[in-house]
Amino acid sequence: MTKIKHAPHLTESEKARNLMRWASKAYLATELRSELKNADAPGGHVGGISAATDGNYPYASLSLVCLDHDATPYMLLSDLADHSQNLVANAKAGMLFDGTAGYRDPLAGGRVTLVGSMTKVEDDRMLQRFLGRHPASKLYAGFKDFSLYKYTIDAAHLIGGFAKAIWVPSHELKLDCKNYQDLSKSEPSIVNHMNADHTDAINLIAETLLKLDKSQKWRMTGIDPEGWDLHNGHVHARCPFEQLVTDANSARNALVAQAKAARKTS
């Protein structure tokens, strides 16, 4: 992931949301209980601890993540994994988004910690959005033991570098999308159209406006009111809009404006 740069006019909640939208993965913290898995369970069984004497433990893991238009995180997890079984016993979980890539001193970079709960859901639209962002996940998305999980945000803690920390309430962090339903419905057709007919514009924007690697071929993987995501097969990136887009028409206008700006710059 390239170094994240926030526009100077962004509020703290918008900075946190922007960092989260950039991320392709996140760290998940659940409560580990020694009695949840048998010794012969897939993936093994934690040994050497006893809940009766030592209590429970925080358990951190890494997983791919995809955000909905309002910034709600989703993960595709194996039901056999320790973190998934931990969530069955206690749905409360923490989630960390790391935005420190590209900094000589990682502690000078931003990161967002969420507190909330994680539950299994059936949502085909979000599953397809997740697979668009993480196409390699199609290899196992159909397995019976894999499920989509939704993270309900209670609060967020944004650290923007040294001595830059603030708690952000959920209602401020999440984007109110009640008037943007048309964009959500139009997203698959917009992405397919851009990748089928306008790869030249996508790559020009990537090269000139985002200063991304010119030797790579970029594709759009998703679009939301605040921007659109792209991927070159190895690296994720993001292109923000100057103003919120609400539907397919405003999205088209914003993309055309970016393409014109890229041609002018080149």
Side-chain angles (χ1 to χ4, degrees):
M1 187 173 70
T2 59
K3 189 174 182 179
I4 298 175
K5 295 181 180 180
H6 301 296
H9 66 274
L10 295 184
T11 65
E12 297 305 309
S13 58
E14 289 171 334
K15 290 178 182 177
R17 200 162 59 236
N18 183 49
L19 189 155
M20 292 167 58
R21 291 199 192 279
W22 265 90
S24 61
K25 59 184 182 295
Y27 299 91
L28 182 65
T30 54
E31 181 188 25
L32 178 65
R33 299 184 183 184
S34 60
E35 77 278 7
L36 289 182
K37 295 177 71 175
N38 298 322
D40 59 351
H45 171 263
V46 59
I49 67 171
S50 170
T53 58
D54 299 323
N56 301 324
Y57 286 78
Y59 176 85
S61 55
L62 177 67
S63 189
L64 301 178
V65 67
C66 177
L67 268 59
D68 200 354
H69 285 202
D70 68 353
T72 296
Y74 286 78
M75 287 181 167
L76 185 65
L77 306 177
S78 170
D79 296 335
L80 303 177
D82 287 270
H83 49 219
S84 300
Q85 298 200 20
N86 293 342
L87 290 168
V88 172
N90 184 355
K92 291 183 178 180
M95 188 177 291
L96 171 65
F97 291 82
D98 181 1
T100 63
Y103 286 85
R104 179 179 299 178
D105 180 358
L107 294 182
R111 50 266 196 208
V112 175
T113 297
L114 305 180
V115 292
S117 57
M118 194 90 157
T119 53
K120 188 186 301 186
V121 296
E122 292 187 9
D123 188 329
D124 187 63
R125 182 186 67 84
M126 274 309 304
L127 177 60
Q128 296 308 313
R129 193 164 205 272
F130 183 96
L131 296 178
R133 185 162 179 78
H134 304 290
S137 297
K138 294 178 182 178
L139 295 174
Y140 51 81
F143 292 178
K144 291 183 178 180
D145 63 296
F146 273 83
S147 302
L148 188 67
Y149 284 74
K150 174 182 178 180
Y151 190 91
T152 300
I153 304 170
D154 290 332
H157 193 218
L158 168 67
I159 300 178
F162 288 115
K164 296 180 181 179
I166 184 173
W167 280 97
V168 180
S170 174
H171 69 274
E172 292 183 12
L173 176 69
K174 294 179 64 177
L175 181 67
D176 186 354
C177 292
K178 63 177 179 292
N179 296 323
Y180 304 158
Q181 295 304 309
D182 180 76
L183 181 64
S184 179
K185 295 177 182 177
S186 301
E187 181 180 13
S189 61
I190 294 173
V191 171
N192 291 336
H193 172 66
M194 290 297 294
N195 289 329
D197 300 330
H198 299 291
T199 55
D200 55 339
I202 292 174
N203 283 279
L204 188 62
I205 292 170
E207 295 169 8
T208 60
L209 301 187
L210 303 180
K211 309 300 181 182
L212 298 175
D213 190 346
K214 295 182 179 181
S215 66
Q216 301 293 326
K217 299 300 181 182
W218 296 87
R219 292 174 59 83
M220 178 184 286
T221 62
I223 186 171
D224 58 74
E226 295 180 303
W228 54 282
D229 304 311
L230 56 163
H231 191 246
N232 67 4
H234 304 282
V235 178
H236 290 271
R238 181 164 175 82
C239 185
F241 292 130
E242 291 187 1
Q243 297 179 347
L244 294 177
V245 301
T246 60
D247 51 28
N249 186 57
S250 60
R252 177 186 180 280
N253 292 338
L255 291 166
V256 168
Q258 289 180 337
K260 289 181 178 179
R263 293 189 184 98
K264 184 177 180 179
T265 302
S266 64

